[in-house]
Amino acid sequence: MCPVVSDSDGISVVLCVRNAATTVGEQLEGLSRQTFQSWELILVDNGCTDATLEVVDSWLPQLPSVTVVRAHERAGLAYARNVGVAAANRAAIAFCDGDDVVDANWLSALWDALQSADHVGGHLDVTGLNDADTVYWRTGSPTEDGLYRAHGYLPHPIGANFAVWRTVYLDVGGCDEQFVICSDDVDLSWRIQRAGGSLGYTPDAIVQYRLRSSLRQAARQQWTYGRAEARLFKKYRTEMRRPALSQALQEWIRVLPRIDRFFRGRRLRGAWVCFIAYRAGRIRGGLEHHVAWW
C-alpha cells in the first residue's frame, strides 16, 4: 500500500489542541527545531477557551507554513484529527499532542520509517518531563518494548507519536468519530492492518511524553482509558482478549484490600488509586456499551 513519493512531498503535522496554553509553547519549540525541512503544521483548535491560540501566534515566525483550522462542532480527538487531515497538503501525516515535546529528529525518523511501511509509530520517553512517582504510576513508557500490544490483538502505535500516508488514512475512512474520548488511534491502526496495510516502528522518532502529574488527573485519565476500551471491545469482541471473570475478581481481591497504600506516600498511593480507577472505568464502560468488559 505504500505510495511512491519523493522527499519534496513532505509531511503535514496535525496538532490538535484544546486549552493547552500552559504546554503548547514547549511543543511548538520542539517543532521549530526539526531537522526535516519539507513540512507544514496544521493546528486544529478543538474548542480552546484559554490563551492557546495567542501562544501559537507568538511562535508563527519560527515555524514553516502554519494553518489554523477550527474544529468547534464538537469535542473529540478523532473528530479533530479528521478535520486536520482534511486541511493537510502533504503526502504523509504525523500526529503529536499539545502537552508533549518532539525531539529535533522526530520528523526525519518518521519519514525514513514510512519509506517501508504504511503507518509507523515512534518512542515515547517518559523520563524527561515527569517525576519518578508519576512514571511509577504508569509503570514506565508504553513503548518501552516498541509497539504497544496491551489489548490482546494487533500491535499499534500510540496516538501521541505516529505517522501515516495521507492516502492510507483516507482509504480506511480516517478516525472513527464514535471514539470520543480515546482509543481512536488503536482502532485506526487495526483497520489499516486489516485492510492489508503494514505497520512499522522507529525508536529514533522520540517524543518527550508528559504524564498526568496530579493524582486526580492521573486517576481521571485511567478511568477514561478503561471506559474507552469497552467501546473498542464492542467493535472487536471476536479479536480482543478479554480476561476471565475469575481473573478480574482475583485482581480486585488482591489490590482492593491494600488500602493501606493510600497512606504510605505519594508513589504507592498513586499506583493504588490509578489501578482502582482503571478497573472501575472498564466496568463502567462495559455497562455503557452493553458488553462484558471488566
Side-chain angles (χ1 to χ4, degrees), residues 22-281:
T22 60
T23 59
V24 73
E26 294 179 74
Q27 182 65 289
L28 294 174
E29 180 181 8
L31 287 168
S32 73
R33 294 184 286 105
Q34 293 303 297
T35 58
F36 190 79
Q37 297 300 310
S38 182
W39 67 282
E40 65 173 354
L41 175 62
I42 308 296
L43 193 291
V44 185
D45 170 15
N46 193 208
C48 292
T49 57
D50 65 356
T52 297
L53 297 185
E54 286 82 351
V55 175
V56 173
D57 285 342
S58 71
W59 277 95
L60 292 181
Q62 301 175 60
L63 295 166
S65 173
V66 179
T67 302
V68 178
V69 295
R70 287 168 55 93
H72 286 201
E73 182 179 335
R74 58 186 178 276
L77 191 51
Y79 164 65
R81 283 175 171 156
N82 287 341
V83 171
V85 172
N89 297 297
R90 304 301 178 94
I93 311 291
F95 295 90
C96 59
D97 291 341
D99 56 352
D100 302 324
V101 181
V102 297
D103 278 12
N105 197 49
W106 178 62
L107 283 177
S108 293
L110 289 176
W111 179 262
D112 289 345
L114 278 173
Q115 305 314 302
S116 57
D118 292 302
H119 69 309
V120 299
H123 177 60
L124 300 179
D125 186 340
V126 298
T127 62
L129 300 178
N130 309 289
D131 62 68
D133 288 349
T134 305
V135 174
Y136 183 82
W137 298 348
R138 285 289 298 270
T139 64
S141 170
T143 60
E144 196 68 41
D145 299 316
L147 292 166
Y148 204 43
R149 300 173 181 269
H151 298 292
Y153 184 35
L154 299 172
H156 61 86
I158 303 295
N161 184 4
F162 80 104
V164 59
W165 293 111
R166 187 173 186 271
T167 55
V168 172
Y169 185 96
L170 296 176
D171 284 347
V172 298
C175 286
D176 184 345
E177 295 177 13
Q178 294 183 79
F179 293 93
V180 177
I181 44 180
C182 56
S183 291
D184 59 292
D185 51 347
V186 184
D187 171 67
L188 175 68
S189 177
W190 287 358
R191 282 187 286 117
I192 291 173
Q193 292 177 75
R194 285 159 65 110
S198 57
L199 171 60
Y201 171 77
T202 172
D204 297 325
I206 299 172
V207 168
Q208 302 298 321
Y209 188 52
R210 194 186 307 272
L211 304 174
R212 301 297 186 267
S213 59
S214 79
L215 183 53
R216 180 186 295 273
Q217 291 173 336
R220 182 186 180 97
Q221 185 181 56
Q222 291 302 308
W223 164 268
T224 298
Y225 286 161
R227 286 181 61 198
E229 284 181 6
R231 176 175 285 282
L232 197 65
F233 179 72
K234 183 176 183 179
K235 188 170 183 177
Y236 297 95
R237 68 176 73 201
T238 60
E239 293 91 358
M240 285 179 66
R241 182 184 65 247
R242 180 181 60 196
L245 178 58
S246 59
Q247 179 183 344
L249 290 173
Q250 287 175 5
E251 291 287 334
W252 281 102
I253 292 170
R254 179 178 64 86
V255 175
L256 193 58
R258 305 184 71 174
I259 194 172
D260 62 297
R261 292 192 168 199
F262 191 87
F263 306 98
R264 291 174 57 192
R266 181 172 180 264
R267 176 171 294 192
L268 293 180
R269 178 167 57 251
W272 186 83
V273 169
C274 285
F275 174 88
I276 298 298
Y278 171 68
R279 289 291 178 175

